[in-house]
Amino acid sequence: MSTTAHDHAHGHEGHAHHKQSFVSRWLMSTNHKDIGTLYITAAFIGACVGGVLSMIMRLQLMYPHNNIVTSGTEWNAIITAHGLIMIFWFVMPALIGGMGNWFVPIMIGAPDMAFPRLNNMSFWFLVAGFVFVMLGLFLGSGTGAGWTLYPPLDNAEYSPGIATDFSLFSIHLVGISSLLGAINFIATILNMRAPGMTMHKMPLFCWAILVTAFLLVLAIPVLAGAVTMLIMDRNFGTSFFEPSGGGDPVLFQHLFWFFGHPEVYIMILPAFGIISHVVSTFSKKPIFGYLGMAYAMVIIGFVGFVVWAHHMFVSAISTDSKIYFEVATLVIAVPTGIKVFSWIATMWGGSIEFKTPMLWAVGFIFLFVIGGATGVVLANASLDQELHNDYFLIAHFHYVLSMGAAFAIFAGFYYWIGKMAGHQYPEFWGKVHFWTFFIGVNLTFFPMHFLGLAGMPRRYPDYADAFAGWNYVSSVGAIISGLSSLVFFYVLYCVFTSKEKLADNYWGEGATTLEWAIPSPAPQHTFEDVPVIR
Amino acid sequence: MKRSVVSALGAAGLLVLFGHIALAQAATPDPTAAANSYVNAPFNWEMWFPAAGSPMQARIDWLMQYVLWIMAGVVGFVGILMLYVIVRYRASRNPKPSQVTHNTLIEVIWIVVPVLILAVIIVPSINLIYYQADDSNPYMTVTVTGHQWYWEYNYNSVPGLDYTSYMIPDDQIKPGELRRLSVDHPMVLPVGEKIKFVITSGDVLHGFYLPSLGVQKYAIPGTTLTSWTTITKPGTYFGQCNQICGLDHDAMPIEIKAVPLADYIAWTKAALATYTDNTVPAVPLSSPMPRNQLADATR
């Protein structure tokens, strides 16, 4: 991404008021596009680190009794870092901080975010958090409690050493980052829409980011409280979660999932927003059922807050609570169904061009439906007694994250890279990237359903020999996905070495939001005159 | 001539030796032998649940098929719709896009139909939740305690029967044992009787997970959770720890030998007599666990 920086700073940057030095532009940035670029760069680094960790995991699991990971401690540190990094330093910065920062102000016709300095601070907290989570991986024996950080495993007795403290503080740092970013988005979207841009005319991506921001503001403080209590238990002799002192490990599970379930929607709602734009653009049709789409996200966000204990069906939970949480969870399938059917209805009657972003979007819709279907299965508390924490669950959440969120990130990348970098991606290699990744991830995660049904638990570095077959297939799939990422690196190389100029609206009639009314690449400062909508 | 006599004597000697071994085995019958005839273990390329070892698992299996077929129908329906849209409305075939963005009837249908589908799923699912929660009137209760990294089984109805169960390390696996599944002292249970598990932990969280019996609960320090099963057929059943518990999380499997009631009672007597050290060894939690040295009455 640094090449973009170069282009922006010294290239055809007609609108820039003055040339900034590298340091003042990138280290002290208050420009939403530059901060968005920084976020996307950080997400790219996070994805590479998290991806390397997942490659190590799949290579270890390729054969039973394998020795690539040398100890259970090392294994646990790797899986913990993989989970934390992929969620907090890949998916969230890519979707919210990256694409949200880049396109929400443009789409609503605002000159920048409401609080540009807060925006900068939010980004650097993310970087500080990344340093801490890497220290948590590498210092001593690492943090080995899993990304859910359940006590007592991560208390001072069972996880001595400073690594776990670093990981816990990294959650604080990234939490502050998300919280400040969310406040900024809410203020921007509610106050800085251009004249005529009413809430009900606002693009769906902005709706998605708005709902996501509210989820963050309500959920992150609960996580921060829980993590603070863990830090207190570890270092200051409190016993919030210590049974011996009258505390309760189950309390942490409640607090964690009160954050953790909205977090699931924090990761997928912005993806929904991107998919809506891509589907509409390449079908050359306005989105079907716009209001239903917007309010479906509001409902998903709202109900997403009252279903958290479905992560605790085999923990300490009463029978009646199980029934409530099962029913509430299943209710979410209805607004999600509205979204899926509305996307298909948008395509229906359209004139669809299958450019690379559309391939990712169509892939997203189908694979997300598979992940949603297994989600409905897992929502049944009675079935969760069999499926909880086994590989069926791993398959489910990778279908909605590794295929759902990641496919949407790639859809957004291919859709907007011309607007962000000023150069188009190579269509052929974009399609090669899509198909190799599609085959790779399906081969990786579909067999995991079978492993789960057969009873293989998660977070095992070594497994019974009977699980060898499907694990081998899964690892082969992971290698294909890994090679596919190399294709993506080549796509990046092509984009940043391209000399080709792009039109303002390079997708044509289907692309109707405001970012297509400004030049490609977007000038440093957009909307010096306030645009008026219709 | 002389050579043939020697070989005949040798053969006779071997016969005596083997006969002696056979006699010795007959003298101390293994009360859990009945469990060896049927082994319910995962197998390679398995694509479905283990064969149901309990009525609970049979019901879970039925509900899973029910829900999964419904969801497969939903996925199939969406897949067909998408395929149709992709083929019929590609730019080359449909150059002029329609601009329809509303259709109230279809929007109502795609809210009402999913609600009905969910209702059809919820009813049997809730029935099964109540069934799973009903641990009343058990024939016997076993208190299961998870430790880093072994299980402890305390038979509440057999005073003094409280022993530990460790995984057989990979380098000590003998023929007939399953790597990462077999243990030194399996839990022995009677078939056909309702068994209640009271599950807790001595240190961190663990997961007491028996996929072939449809049982799974966290083991949580400071509290107890309950579950139950009724094993329908004598045999050997396996489970594993299913909640991350530290560096040997993958090395604390559960092995259950289900035998007829009479054999179970004989086993409790043998176990009480031969498990000379029935208490859990007190060792520092962070040190490597010594292998359990109890006499092995189960083999």
Side-chain angles (χ1 to χ4, degrees):
Chain A
M1 293 278 167
S2 59
T3 325
T4 343
H6 190 78
D7 283 354
H8 275 282
H10 308 291
H12 37 78
E13 191 51 80
H15 293 261
H17 293 275
H18 55 89
K19 291 256 170 70
Q20 291 173 288
S21 72
F22 180 87
V23 169
S24 80
R25 179 161 182 199
W26 296 109
L27 300 188
M28 298 179 239
S29 180
T30 52
N31 182 299
H32 73 100
K33 299 183 200 79
D34 288 348
I35 294 176
T37 303
L38 287 170
Y39 262 109
I40 292 172
T41 312
F44 178 75
I45 294 167
C48 291
V49 174
V52 166
L53 292 175
S54 56
M55 284 300 141
I56 296 171
M57 286 152 66
R58 270 326 318 168
L59 288 175
Q60 163 71 11
L61 293 173
M62 196 160 183
Y63 302 100
H65 202 33
N66 213 351
N67 286 320
I68 288 169
V69 175
T70 52
S71 72
T73 312
E74 198 179 310
W75 173 262
N76 290 346
I78 289 171
I79 59 155
T80 305
H82 168 76
L84 290 173
I85 289 171
M86 284 301 199
I87 291 167
F88 292 106
W89 286 277
F90 166 43
V91 174
M92 287 172 68
L95 287 172
I96 307 169
M99 292 173 192
N101 248 314
W102 248 100
F103 292 105
V104 165
I106 299 179
M107 281 178 166
I108 63 172
D112 205 307
M113 294 286 280
F115 308 116
R117 287 178 199 282
L118 193 73
N119 206 4
N120 174 292
M121 191 171 156
S122 163
F123 172 75
W124 290 103
F125 266 110
L126 180 89
V127 175
F130 189 70
V131 172
F132 271 42
V133 81
M134 293 309 282
L135 289 173
L137 171 62
F138 286 116
L139 279 184
S141 54
T143 307
W147 87 275
T148 50
L149 300 165
Y150 281 0
L153 185 57
D154 61 354
N155 72 14
E157 185 180 356
Y158 301 105
S159 294
I162 200 156
T164 306
D165 293 297
F166 271 113
S167 292
L168 291 172
F169 275 111
S170 83
I171 303 286
H172 267 323
L173 291 170
V174 77
I176 293 168
S177 162
S178 301
L179 204 53
L180 299 180
I183 291 166
N184 213 344
F185 278 119
I186 293 173
T188 307
I189 294 172
L190 293 187
N191 296 308
M192 293 179 65
R193 279 169 287 121
M197 175 67 76
T198 60
M199 289 300 277
H200 283 178
K201 279 186 186 165
M202 195 167 71
L204 283 174
F205 181 63
C206 303
W207 267 104
I209 292 287
L210 179 66
V211 177
T212 303
F214 272 105
L215 295 187
L216 281 166
V217 165
L218 294 170
I220 292 280
V222 178
L223 175 70
V227 167
T228 304
M229 286 186 251
L230 275 180
I231 293 170
M232 301 278 279
D233 276 7
R234 283 179 61 81
N235 298 296
F236 302 111
T238 58
S239 54
F240 291 105
F241 308 126
E242 301 292 330
S244 57
D248 186 0
V250 181
L251 173 64
F252 180 82
Q253 297 170 21
H254 278 290
L255 294 174
F256 182 85
W257 288 113
F258 189 86
F259 148 81
H261 199 76
E263 172 68 19
V264 170
Y265 300 108
I266 287 164
M267 288 189 278
I268 208 66
L269 286 177
F272 285 174
I274 292 173
I275 297 302
S276 296
H277 288 265
V278 172
V279 166
S280 162
T281 297
F282 292 94
S283 306
K284 302 192 192 77
K285 268 184 70 189
I287 198 81
F288 186 95
Y290 165 85
L291 279 183
M293 287 291 251
Y295 285 97
M297 288 193 283
V298 175
I299 294 169
I300 290 172
F302 182 78
V303 184
F305 264 104
V306 292
V307 298
W308 74 90
H310 68 214
H311 297 269
M312 300 166 58
F313 279 151
V314 302
S315 186
I317 180 174
S318 74
T319 306
D320 291 336
S321 304
K322 271 190 195 175
I323 291 167
Y324 160 72
F325 280 108
E326 167 176 334
V327 175
T329 304
L330 289 171
V331 164
I332 297 183
V334 177
T336 311
I338 293 176
K339 304 234 34 129
V340 169
F341 290 123
S342 295
W343 286 322
I344 295 174
T346 304
M347 290 160 73
W348 197 281
S351 179
I352 307 169
E353 273 187 279
F354 289 96
K355 295 266 176 58
T356 306
M358 189 61 173
L359 289 182
W360 289 100
V362 172
F364 168 94
I365 297 170
F366 186 64
L367 298 176
F368 186 79
V369 166
I370 295 178
T374 52
V376 169
V377 172
L378 284 160
N380 289 275
S382 38
L383 295 177
D384 202 52
Q385 181 154 320
E386 177 79 12
L387 298 168
H388 180 88
N389 262 4
D390 73 14
Y391 263 76
F392 193 87
L393 171 80
I394 308 295
H396 157 72
F397 74 69
H398 282 97
Y399 260 79
V400 290
L401 288 180
S402 179
M403 284 121 139
F407 271 48
I409 289 167
F410 284 126
F413 173 84
Y414 284 102
Y415 184 58
W416 281 321
I417 186 63
K419 187 58 67 180
M420 295 190 284
H423 306 295
Q424 192 60 299
Y425 64 88
E427 190 66 47
F428 173 78
W429 289 107
K431 284 182 173 160
V432 170
H433 176 217
F434 169 77
W435 285 110
T436 48
F437 197 73
F438 185 87
I439 293 166
V441 287
N442 276 293
L443 208 55
T444 309
F445 296 111
F446 206 81
M448 289 187 183
H449 291 114
F450 304 137
L451 286 171
L453 291 167
M456 178 167 164
R458 71 192 287 201
R459 293 166 169 168
Y460 269 30
D462 189 10
Y463 47 82
D465 301 339
F467 301 127
W470 290 123
N471 267 303
Y472 181 79
V473 174
S474 177
S475 292
V476 169
I479 292 167
I480 294 173
S481 320
L483 294 175
S484 170
S485 305
L486 300 182
V487 177
F488 180 61
F489 293 167
Y490 179 68
V491 168
L492 286 178
Y493 171 81
C494 292
V495 167
F496 293 125
T497 53
S498 165
K499 298 271 179 280
E500 188 197 350
K501 292 245 170 23
L502 267 176
D504 293 3
N505 184 354
Y506 51 86
W507 295 128
E509 52 173 316
T512 54
T513 40
L514 271 179
E515 77 268 32
W516 306 112
I518 60 171
S520 309
Q524 184 82 343
H525 296 286
T526 29
F527 309 125
E528 290 176 352
D529 302 311
V530 176
V532 178
I533 315 301
R534 273 174 271 266
Chain B
M1 185 68 170
K2 207 174 183 181
R3 187 181 286 172
S4 62
V5 169
V6 170
S7 46
L9 277 173
L14 276 174
L15 268 173
V16 168
L17 197 64
F18 282 127
H20 179 73
I21 290 166
L23 274 173
Q25 277 182 344
T28 54
D30 176 5
T32 66
N36 298 333
S37 56
Y38 170 66
V39 177
N40 187 326
F43 53 90
N44 212 1
W45 306 110
E46 184 174 347
M47 291 172 78
W48 191 247
F49 285 149
S54 68
M56 175 118 66
Q57 178 57 19
R59 287 178 190 229
I60 290 174
D61 197 306
W62 179 88
L63 184 67
M64 182 70 177
Q65 292 187 41
Y66 176 82
V67 176
L68 210 53
W69 276 117
I70 292 174
M71 293 324 293
V74 171
V75 173
F77 176 66
V78 172
I80 288 167
L81 279 182
M82 290 185 71
L83 215 58
Y84 177 77
V85 165
I86 288 168
V87 173
R88 173 68 186 77
Y89 296 111
R90 52 193 318 137
S92 51
R93 221 177 132 182
N94 195 43
K96 264 210 145 93
S98 90
Q99 295 297 312
V100 176
T101 58
H102 289 287
N103 184 327
T104 309
L105 176 67
I106 195 86
E107 289 180 68
V108 170
I109 288 175
W110 72 43
I111 292 173
V112 172
V113 173
V115 169
L116 294 177
I117 291 175
L118 293 178
V120 167
I121 291 174
I122 284 169
V123 173
S125 178
I126 287 178
N127 281 337
L128 186 51
I129 292 176
Y130 281 119
Y131 177 82
Q132 288 169 333
D134 179 18
D135 56 10
S136 59
N137 302 317
Y139 168 76
M140 56 183 278
T141 300
V142 183
T143 300
V144 175
T145 310
H147 297 271
Q148 280 182 322
W149 291 274
Y150 60 97
W151 293 96
E152 175 194 351
Y153 304 129
N154 183 352
Y155 288 66
N156 298 17
S157 51
V158 187
L161 187 55
D162 180 356
Y163 62 97
T164 56
S165 175
Y166 283 80
M167 183 185 84
I168 310 270
D170 289 359
D171 53 5
Q172 291 169 31
I173 285 288
K174 291 191 281 288
E177 292 174 341
L178 294 169
R179 201 181 67 86
R180 298 268 143 185
L181 289 175
S182 293
V183 301
D184 58 354
H185 295 78
M187 186 195 298
V188 179
L189 296 171
V191 258
E193 303 291 349
K194 184 168 182 176
I195 297 137
K196 180 174 170 180
F197 299 114
V198 175
I199 301 151
T200 187
S201 168
D203 38 51
V204 300
L205 299 180
H206 299 275
F208 186 67
Y209 174 45
L210 306 171
S212 51
L213 303 177
V215 171
Q216 176 165 214
K217 283 278 185 232
Y218 283 180
I220 304 173
T223 190
T224 58
L225 304 181
T226 63
S227 189
W228 65 276
T229 192
T230 304
I231 304 173
T232 37
K233 177 171 162 184
T236 306
Y237 300 84
F238 292 99
Q240 290 158 285
C241 176
N242 201 10
Q243 175 60 41
I244 187 167
C245 59
L247 64 98
D248 274 339
H249 168 46
D250 61 345
M252 48 181 294
I254 301 146
E255 182 178 355
I256 289 180
K257 298 236 178 231
V259 295
L261 187 57
D263 289 350
Y264 164 72
I265 290 166
W267 170 81
T268 58
K269 291 186 178 126
L272 272 174
T274 49
Y275 287 18
T276 47
D277 178 9
N278 288 333
T279 53
V280 180
V283 288
L285 286 156
S286 50
S287 75
M289 289 291 171
R291 297 280 306 137
N292 192 300
Q293 297 299 317
L294 301 184
D296 190 351
T298 61
R299 266 193 286 274

